[in-house]
Amino acid sequence: QASIHRIDVDHPSPGQNYSVPADNPFVKLAGARPEIWAYGLRNIWKMSFDRQTGELWGADVGQDLWESVFHLEKGGNYGWSVFEGTHTFRPERKLGPTPVLKPVVEHDHSQFRSITGGFVYRGKRLPDLFGNYVYADFETGKIWAFKYDHQHATAHRELADTPLKIVGFGEAADGELLILDYLGHVHRLVKNETRAEHPTSAFPRKLSQTGLFADTKALLPAAGLIPYSVNSPLWSDGAQKARFMAVPGMSKIDYHPTNGWGFPQESVLVKTFSLDLEAGNPASRRRLETRILQLEHNRWRGYTYLWNDEQTDATLLEGAAGLDRKYTIRDAAAPGGKREQVWHYPSRAECTLCHTMPTGYVLGPSTLQLNRDQDYGGTTDNQLRTLEHIGMFKDPILQVEERESPDHRKFISYDQLPKLPDPRDPAAPLEARARSYLHANCAHCHMRSGGGNALFWLPYEKTLAETATLDVLPLHGDLGIPGARLLVAGSPEKSLIYERMLRLDAQRMPRVASSVVDQPAVKLIKEWIKSLPPKLTNGESPEK
């Protein structure tokens, strides 16, 4: 929990570097730090005073789902970690001595991922913005504003959608705002005089307008769009996926055998999701969406296209939020022979929930995932060999020293390069299959700085001991299971990684983009945990 402190450095107390103002709110409260001026915050980034009114504003970076802007008051309690914004987070925890104050505005993670606080604008260059609090989101680059009437936010709106990673704002002596970019650049807001003349962007609103497919209805890729497949697919509620990649012109990929690949600017990754409306019947398959990741100005941006009922084209999903649609699936195993399935179409901000900075933003195209054969329509070959053959990589893959390898050996064949086993392959070792599944479905969050809030790590290259899961107490509840740990060797019923896979409520993992339990994966993880020697601890690990 974070708090805001108010101290006096101009009049220090004897023997100290500061004094505590006598009118601080908790000076006389037993057990409280007298320096505290406001509390119940998580991670204020950033705060500022309104130069005209003296009011203090702060943007609080959330943990799970919500980003907040607070009007910070003397003695204010902003609820963390009992609340995240206006939503309960750890309701069993004790509240502070003063009432919980609500945020003036909040954004869920379908809109914002990491809020950056700004200033109340008091400049003259943009008169329509005068008196508005201006703030942004680091991940999406969006800039928003609202006006405060001392009770509510009014005129709350998006000002700009930028390619910037906005780490802060500055205020010039005349009240004009400066925008600070992570790459070291300084920008300012300028009124868009052309918006009325050009109400829509030139960005393609139809999938057919992107030029990615020679025949959109047939999903026939255009020249230069290369199909690929992965060893360990991300579970997407039973959907089938068609994957493609493209790089512009003669650009090359910076290949790395273990870390993520470095794609050139304007590279595109394309994935179409299709769902069988009758379980097990490919003839009932229907295209739901095509997602595009494009590298623009050193940043991957996601776009979602929704397929029409005729299955001839798809339309860009507009707006800040995603979309849910319900489909009826004919399934002989379901009561009455059918079941309802909700499919979530992600917003652009939601793409960053999985495509995070520590992963390199790109999940599928990697050596671990693409070191496998691919059918190119009559010709089948190893994907890495094929990509190298057609000149996609800057440097040769083979016969180069891999310095991260313990023995500094040189790779002389594609078979020697690292790869994930197929979790569905019964011939592969059980431990390796389970770890491969967890890598593909969980490790993009559960890695260092990946966004997962529990302190354990699931990348495939780590030993089981290095994952910090065995016999480890959970940080975020035990689901009411006596003796629960993240993993209990030999006991799936006490292992929260397994138990959370079974759920469909707020305790489900993965938390986003899934509303159907992956039953084969549940069986796999259960068998693996049962196979672990019961006395195994976090200091030991069987070989994968």
Side-chain angles (χ1 to χ4, degrees), residues 78-382:
Y78 298 93
W80 179 259
S81 59
V82 177
F83 291 90
E84 183 183 32
T86 59
H87 309 268
T88 56
F89 184 79
R90 293 285 179 263
E92 73 279 4
R93 293 180 177 173
K94 185 178 179 181
L95 281 169
T98 56
V100 174
L101 302 179
K102 295 180 179 180
V104 176
V105 301
E106 61 182 357
H107 295 266
D108 68 26
H109 282 180
S110 69
Q111 296 180 320
F112 271 39
R113 288 289 287 120
S114 181
I115 197 167
T116 298
F119 290 84
V120 175
Y121 179 71
R122 297 298 181 186
K124 295 181 179 179
R125 193 168 51 83
L126 301 170
D128 293 344
L129 205 55
F130 188 83
N132 282 253
Y133 179 74
V134 180
Y135 62 104
D137 181 56
F138 175 80
E139 286 289 353
T140 65
K142 293 180 182 292
I143 301 173
W144 284 59
F146 64 82
K147 206 161 188 176
Y148 185 54
D149 65 3
H150 294 281
Q151 288 188 328
H152 307 286
T154 62
H156 190 206
R157 73 252 187 228
E158 181 183 314
L159 298 179
D161 184 359
T162 79
L164 308 177
K165 287 194 171 293
I166 300 170
V167 294
F169 289 81
E171 188 180 38
D174 59 0
E176 298 299 337
L177 292 185
L178 304 174
I179 300 165
L180 312 179
D181 179 28
Y182 180 76
L183 296 178
H185 303 136
V186 180
H187 306 263
R188 66 174 184 171
L189 283 171
V190 176
K191 188 173 182 180
N192 186 354
E193 302 290 354
T194 64
R195 186 174 180 85
E197 300 174 20
H198 305 285
T200 60
S201 163
F203 193 89
R205 262 51 191 175
K206 297 288 186 181
L207 185 61
S208 57
Q209 297 168 351
T210 64
L212 292 169
F213 295 97
D215 185 335
T216 305
K217 180 180 179 181
L219 210 66
L220 180 66
L225 195 63
I226 303 166
Y228 72 94
S229 55
V230 297
N231 283 314
S232 183
L234 179 75
W235 169 249
S236 298
D237 289 359
Q240 304 297 315
K241 304 170 194 176
R243 304 171 178 86
F244 303 90
M245 70 171 76
V247 299
M250 301 302 292
S251 299
K252 308 286 185 181
I253 297 171
D254 229 347
Y255 171 85
H256 196 282
T258 53
N259 295 336
W261 295 355
F263 281 82
Q265 294 297 311
E266 305 304 323
S267 294
V268 176
L269 303 176
V270 184
K271 185 158 55 176
T272 295
F273 295 75
S274 302
L275 193 64
D276 292 349
L277 298 186
E278 180 180 354
N281 180 10
S284 69
R285 192 162 296 168
R286 170 192 175 89
R287 294 178 196 141
L288 302 182
E289 60 173 309
T290 295
R291 297 179 191 172
I292 296 174
L293 277 178
Q294 182 169 355
L295 185 56
E296 308 169 18
H297 305 286
N298 297 306
R299 170 173 180 191
W300 288 96
R301 297 172 73 91
Y303 303 94
T304 298
Y305 287 84
L306 278 65
W307 280 87
N308 59 23
D309 291 339
E310 295 77 23
Q311 301 283 277
T312 56
D313 206 347
T315 303
L316 182 67
L317 176 62
E318 304 277 10
L323 176 69
D324 286 341
R325 282 187 177 171
K326 186 179 292 185
Y327 295 91
T328 299
I329 310 297
R330 298 187 299 278
D331 187 347
K338 63 181 181 180
R339 55 182 169 84
E340 302 294 324
Q341 181 170 332
V342 175
W343 184 267
H344 182 70
Y345 297 84
S347 70
R348 295 174 197 174
E350 284 177 302
C351 294
T352 64
L353 290 171
C354 296
H355 296 277
T356 60
M357 184 184 294
T359 66
Y361 298 102
V362 174
L363 301 179
S366 69
T367 306
L368 281 169
Q369 287 282 24
L370 267 63
N371 189 7
R372 59 172 283 145
D373 286 349
Q374 165 73 13
D375 183 356
Y376 294 99
T379 300
T380 299
D381 198 5
N382 181 282

